[in-house]
Amino acid sequence: MPAQPGPADAALKLDQFLPYRLNVCANSVSTALSAIYSARHRIGVPEWRILVTLGEFGLMTAKAIGIHSQMHKTKVSRAVAMLERRKLVARRVNCDDLREAFLSLTPAGRDIYNDLAPGALEFARQLMETMEPAERAALDRALSKLTERSAKIAADIAKGGNPG
Amino acid sequence: MPAQPGPADAALKLDQFLPYRLNVCANSVSTALSAIYSARHRIGVPEWRILVTLGEFGLMTAKAIGIHSQMHKTKVSRAVAMLERRKLVARRVNCDDLREAFLSLTPAGRDIYNDLAPGALEFARQLMETMEPAERAALDRALSKLTERSAKIAADIAKGGNPG
DNA sequence: GACAGTTGGTTGCAAGAGAAACTAATTTCC
DNA sequence: GGAAATTAGTTTCTCTTGCAACCAACTGTC
């Protein structure tokens, strides 16, 4: 058993390493999806997430959008600013708290949302149909568990520096 | 059934949308992992991937590293340059083809690899143990299928603009 | 009611990323 | 043997992103 250089002692294979595989898969899926919507409208991932979030909830503050769509507040801020410039989202300051504003889709924004949502759902459906129902369920559970577990591990590292 | 704004007609829910969930999961896992290795050595994801690839294969060109680790050639170029500056990888020009060079870990690079690999494997193990064996297998198959399918969809879009 | 601390949101800045242009070496084809 | 096309790798330019600092408004607490 070589303790020195060489392929022999490598138990770590990148293409079987779960974090890497997750990244590659997520990236591939994300690229394909954004090929769908960025072709129809000049829109990036952050803008897409905001449209979808507002499409679902109707009226939200930037902060709430950030929480729901897991985006940094600066990303939300800039994406909203861009959508506002294009008159796709409207801003109405909350008079009970002048710091924040309620955001919503304009009719034009709603049109784009209605134009894109079916394609996105169809895309998701096409992905789903590559899997057995049981596989789908397993994937769903796995993604939740992995997200949760890795967040906890990261938090532990940030806190103590060592696992717990 | 409202055809207008409002939450009611939203069949598209971001937090159940597969591409989004994949992204969030991959990101969470990736962040946790890089918390592990970037704490011990000042290293980013591209550098990490190169270390692991060279750790596994021993001797490779930049091009081959890029293919194996799914990284753009500019990313590989810069990460390799950085690792070279730190004397963690060595470059030996191929005298049969002066355009390319064979890269490999220096002893110092091998040390870092040996230092990081166990932690990375342990991390992957901790993720794995959140899942049943059957779930793990399902996840594995699912990731492969999703990656493949989405790549195909994206290629179809790039080609014809329409699915096939 | 004023001062300290917090919170929603924006902005300045520096690092990271890809596209395209570029260099140098190699292959192809006549 | 030499021009045209390819290929490995680097560099330049530009856009994105995240962190930190910041501003303005709000919430205590005294």
Side-chain angles (χ1 to χ4, degrees), chain B:
Chain B
M1 52 295 255
Q4 260 305 313
D9 58 328
L12 179 51
K13 297 197 202 304
L14 193 61
D15 58 2
Q16 291 165 26
F17 188 56
L18 184 56
Y20 170 75
R21 300 204 53 201
L22 272 169
N23 251 321
V24 169
C25 180
N27 197 54
S28 174
V29 168
S30 194
T31 300
L33 174 62
S34 88
I36 291 174
Y37 58 64
S38 78
R40 297 166 74 87
H41 311 273
R42 251 301 151 283
I43 268 183
V45 175
E47 291 80 16
W48 160 258
R49 286 192 184 174
I50 288 173
L51 286 183
V52 172
T53 303
L54 289 178
E56 180 180 351
F57 293 104
L59 200 69
M60 275 179 120
T61 67
K63 164 127 190 153
I65 292 177
I67 291 171
H68 182 74
S69 64
Q70 296 264 20
M71 294 197 293
H72 194 262
K73 62 180 181 172
T74 61
K75 212 190 268 189
V76 174
S77 174
R78 289 191 260 247
V80 165
M82 193 266 238
L83 293 171
E84 223 183 330
R85 267 195 301 280
R86 292 210 214 161
K87 314 276 189 220
L88 300 180
V89 320
R91 172 191 307 255
R92 220 198 59 222
V93 172
N94 176 8
C95 22
D96 290 346
D97 185 342
L98 300 183
R99 289 170 305 179
E100 67 186 9
F102 295 118
L103 304 166
S104 59
L105 296 180
T106 62
R110 173 67 54 178
D111 285 347
I112 290 190
Y113 173 78
N114 286 333
D115 181 46
L116 291 180
L121 286 167
E122 168 62 15
F123 173 66
R125 205 187 54 68
Q126 286 179 10
L127 292 182
M128 290 298 196
E129 79 185 7
T130 64
M131 299 178 281
E132 314 273 328
E135 237 171 3
R136 264 175 252 178
L139 173 65
D140 205 59
R141 280 194 308 275
L143 289 179
S144 296
K145 288 180 191 167
L146 292 174
T147 304
E148 191 189 357
R149 185 94 179 91
S150 59
K152 180 165 297 197
I153 292 176
D156 285 346
I157 292 174
K159 223 175 297 180
N162 238 24

Side-chain angles (χ1 to χ4, degrees), chain A residues 54-55 58-61 65 87-92 101-107 109-110:
Chain A
L54 288 179
L59 199 71
M60 274 179 121
T61 66
I65 292 177
K87 313 274 187 224
L88 301 179
V89 320
R91 172 191 306 255
R92 221 199 57 222
F102 294 118
L103 303 167
S104 59
L105 296 181
T106 62
R110 173 68 53 177

